[in-house]
Amino acid sequence: MQITRQTDYAIRCVLYLSRMRERVVVVDDIAVIMDIPKSFLAKILQRLTKAGIVKSSRGIKGGFQLAKNPRQISLLDIIEAIQGPAGMNRCAINKDICRFSKTCTVHPVWVELRQKVEQHLKKVTFQKLIKLK
Amino acid sequence: MQITRQTDYAIRCVLYLSRMRERVVVVDDIAVIMDIPKSFLAKILQRLTKAGIVKSSRGIKGGFQLAKNPRQISLLDIIEAIQGPAGMNRCAINKDICRFSKTCTVHPVWVELRQKVEQHLKKVTFQKLIKLK
DNA sequence: TTTAATTAAGACAATTATTATCCTATTTTA
DNA sequence: TAAAATAGGATAATAATTGTCTTAATTAAA
């Protein structure tokens, strides 16, 4: 898959929250510090919340914090939360969109590749990302 | 990177030409048989020609044929001919587009992944693709 | 109990990328 | 010279991505 800007933002955001540990942070702060348009970030945080990666609280003293240990969050988790399944080709996600898929000798290549990429991204946790210099 | 429909068409097209061996085929035939919009395919063939993957001849008796042995053409060649460099994230192609890239701990991941994907796709030649059932 | 600060949700606008078409050269062979 | 083919450029149509705005709901504190 192509990593979109939205996913890049999401990664930056989780990176920031990972560094903040348990602390609750408001959208505004993340937006300013991580250079992300505020109302766009708000949308992204909604998705991350639904995916169980961050948790939100409303009202005064509200904001966002990680819902899990950074060790338990991988790059793949973020990508899937924002973009959905991580296939490089649509047919690696849903075979039926292509009328050649039954006999197509290329199709298995996309499937293998998807697996390879997913495996790789699953290993990259945010604990690793914040510890690396 | 995301494989676009255009690239899928290009692959289909080269697959067809590979099966045709040395024979010269006109755009119309490829378009009909491979289910690709004709004038779009014409554009795609121009790119494949510029990339040295197919060669064209004009006039009556003109058309397209492979410029190389299918053994020497890989999926990566087609992707690069149509979409350009094969990074999943823009920053894996050009570091400078991101103002965080100097200290970004995620950046190396995209670079590794790009290499991994390229290696994989380079190994898949059209000889293999037409021999597989 | 009211107010201020926060997120939630949905509609929509703007921008960019992709897909597709069409028209006019140019080339080549018969 | 005519017919059949590709080359190239302009442009239209569609879809995806990015971004904004407004209103509602929630919460803590004054």
Side-chain angles (χ1 to χ4, degrees):
Chain A
M1 75 312 245
Q2 185 64 29
I3 303 304
T4 65
R5 197 178 314 177
Q6 190 171 176
T7 302
D8 269 337
Y9 289 160
I11 292 168
R12 265 187 222 172
C13 171
V14 173
L15 222 33
Y16 182 72
L17 290 174
S18 298
R19 292 201 193 97
M20 289 296 122
R21 310 272 177 170
E22 311 284 286
R23 267 170 281 172
V24 172
V25 191
V26 298
V27 177
D28 262 350
D29 288 357
I30 309 177
V32 169
I33 295 168
M34 292 283 108
D35 196 26
I36 304 168
K38 180 189 158 180
S39 47
F40 197 23
L41 177 59
K43 288 298 177 195
I44 293 169
L45 278 161
Q46 281 179 24
R47 292 196 182 200
L48 292 174
T49 306
K50 279 185 186 148
I53 293 165
V54 308
K55 56 188 177 191
S56 69
S57 43
R58 290 175 164 197
I60 297 182
K61 300 254 170 178
F64 294 90
Q65 64 194 138
L66 281 196
K68 317 180 192 178
N69 192 300
R71 195 184 317 140
Q72 296 169 308
I73 309 175
S74 72
L75 277 182
L76 184 63
D77 293 330
I78 309 298
I79 293 168
E80 286 182 338
I82 303 293
Q83 317 196 16
M88 299 221 321
N89 197 325
R90 299 165 304 154
C91 71
I93 294 159
N94 177 8
K95 229 183 131 105
D96 302 332
I97 58 156
C98 173
R99 73 182 192 72
F100 293 97
S101 62
K102 271 183 194 147
T103 57
C104 177
T105 56
V106 190
H107 184 262
V109 177
W110 304 130
V111 174
E112 287 161 35
L113 208 51
R114 174 179 174 181
Q115 286 165 358
K116 214 168 206 175
V117 167
E118 287 183 347
Q119 270 171 34
H120 190 112
L121 289 171
K122 203 179 297 176
K123 283 189 215 138
V124 184
T125 67
F126 279 80
Q127 184 175 51
K128 288 183 189 165
L129 290 173
I130 60 176
K131 286 205 172 157
L132 284 169
K133 182 55 193 313
Chain B
M1 75 312 238
Q2 185 65 27
I3 303 304
T4 64
R5 198 180 314 176
Q6 190 172 176
T7 302
D8 269 337
Y9 289 161
I11 292 168
R12 266 187 223 171
C13 171
V14 172
L15 222 33
Y16 181 71
L17 290 174
S18 298
R19 292 201 193 94
M20 288 296 122
R21 308 273 177 170
E22 310 285 286
R23 267 171 282 171
V24 172
V25 192
V26 298
V27 176
D28 262 350
D29 287 357
I30 310 177
V32 169
I33 296 168
M34 292 283 109
D35 197 25
I36 304 168
K38 180 190 157 181
S39 47
F40 197 23
L41 177 59
K43 289 297 178 197
I44 292 168
L45 278 162
Q46 281 180 24
R47 291 195 183 203
L48 293 173
T49 306
K50 278 184 187 149
I53 293 164
V54 308
K55 56 188 176 191
S56 70
S57 43
R58 290 174 162 196
I60 297 181
K61 301 254 172 175
F64 294 89
Q65 64 194 140
L66 281 195
K68 316 180 192 178
N69 192 299
R71 195 184 317 140
Q72 298 168 307
I73 309 175
S74 72
L75 278 182
L76 184 62
D77 293 329
I78 310 298
I79 292 168
E80 287 183 337
I82 303 293
Q83 315 196 13
M88 299 220 322
N89 196 325
R90 298 166 305 153
C91 72
I93 294 160
N94 177 8
K95 229 182 131 103
D96 303 331
I97 59 157
C98 173
R99 72 183 193 73
F100 292 97
S101 62
K102 270 183 195 147
T103 57
C104 176
T105 56
V106 189
H107 183 262
V109 177
W110 304 131
V111 174
E112 286 163 35
L113 208 52
R114 174 178 172 181
Q115 285 166 357
K116 213 169 207 174
V117 168
E118 287 183 348
Q119 268 171 34
H120 190 113
L121 289 171
K122 203 179 296 178
K123 283 191 215 135
V124 184
T125 66
F126 279 80
Q127 183 174 54
K128 287 184 189 165
L129 289 172
I130 59 177
K131 286 207 172 155
L132 284 169
K133 185 54 194 310

